Amino acid sequence: MDKLIITAALVGAETTREDNPNLPLSPEELAEAAYDCWQEGASIIHLHVRDAQGQPTQDIDTFAEAIRLINERCDAIVQISTGGAVGLPWEERAQPLSLKPEMATLTTGTVNFGRDVFYNSSEYIEGIAKAIQENGVKPEIEIFDVGMIDNALRLVRRGLLTPPLHFDFVMGVPGGIGGTVKNLLHLVESIPPGSSWSVAGIGRAELPLATVAIIMGGHVRVGFEDNVYYSRGVKAESNAQLVARIARLAKELGREVATPNEARQLLGMAVKE
Ligand code: KMH
Ligand code: ZN
């Protein structure tokens, strides 16, 4: 079985300090959190950034600063979010792709998102997919519901995505696919052979789905973007604490954890010196 790629989703666009007072917000805090997660076994940092008021932003300079500070501290793959926050136009969401990060997300469909709508029309999906391609960035396809896999395969037929594909199943968002093992099995069976996948279980779905992914040969995303708790009613101390638990579980289950360069090789990306 391939080594396990652990992604740390440090902050997202929705989580607040009220949800978890230890949420990293500034580029400096994000870089420190990324470093701590890397030390515990994370090889990918899924990156959103916040402005000085703590609000989500797709500002290029803020992304550049956070990426620079992360790269200074460790060799983790930085995966920028092109999802941003609900309601942003695709052009704004795609802005930080001009920095040519190693990796970026691409959501291939619209989904209810709590009481909001995470809007991804064909225009949005194709605009972001083209920008990813033009900047030579490795995409991670974010799947919030099963039809988004079919949309991704349409992009392959149109030359906007190139296999081998890497998917991330975001499961348990209210409005998206439920965070059950049965649903995970269906998603895994629905992607083309030769694809890789990870799972980001939301809230209480995080740990059970991560455990199943470790056993099945998938990969795992954890972090405050998806879940602020360590256990029922107990807030996590840090993103790194959540990463460390996954690395520990993997060890117990006989699965080795990938370094960033091993993750790059698994995902068909250029390794770093
Ligand atoms: N904040 C969500 C609306 C991504 O990072 O690509 C979208 C999101 C997906 O977080
Ligand atoms: Zn995100």
Side-chain angles (χ1 to χ4, degrees), residues 203-204 207 227-236 245:
R204 72 186 68 153
L207 187 57
N227 168 43
V228 294
Y229 289 95
Y230 188 79
S231 57
R232 192 182 170 89
V234 180
K235 300 264 167 103
R245 173 165 59 182

Side-chain angles (χ1 to χ4, degrees), residues 125-147:
I125 298 169
E126 288 163 19
I128 295 171
K130 274 183 197 146
I132 286 176
Q133 219 171 39
E134 282 162 13
N135 285 289
V137 180
K138 171 74 182 179
E140 176 179 274
I141 307 161
E142 305 299 309
I143 300 296
F144 290 75
D145 218 335
V146 66

Side-chain angles (χ1 to χ4, degrees), residues 12-14 46-48 79-87 93 104-107 111 113 117-120 140 142 144 170 221 225-226:
E14 295 81 23
H46 172 73
L47 187 67
H48 291 249
Q79 176 196 84
I80 63 131
S81 169
T82 68
V86 291
R93 285 164 45 183
T105 58
L106 173 68
T107 299
V111 64
F113 197 87
V117 175
F118 181 30
Y119 183 77
N120 292 287
E140 176 179 274
E142 305 299 309
F144 290 75
V170 186
R221 177 175 115 174
E225 175 166 348
D226 303 330

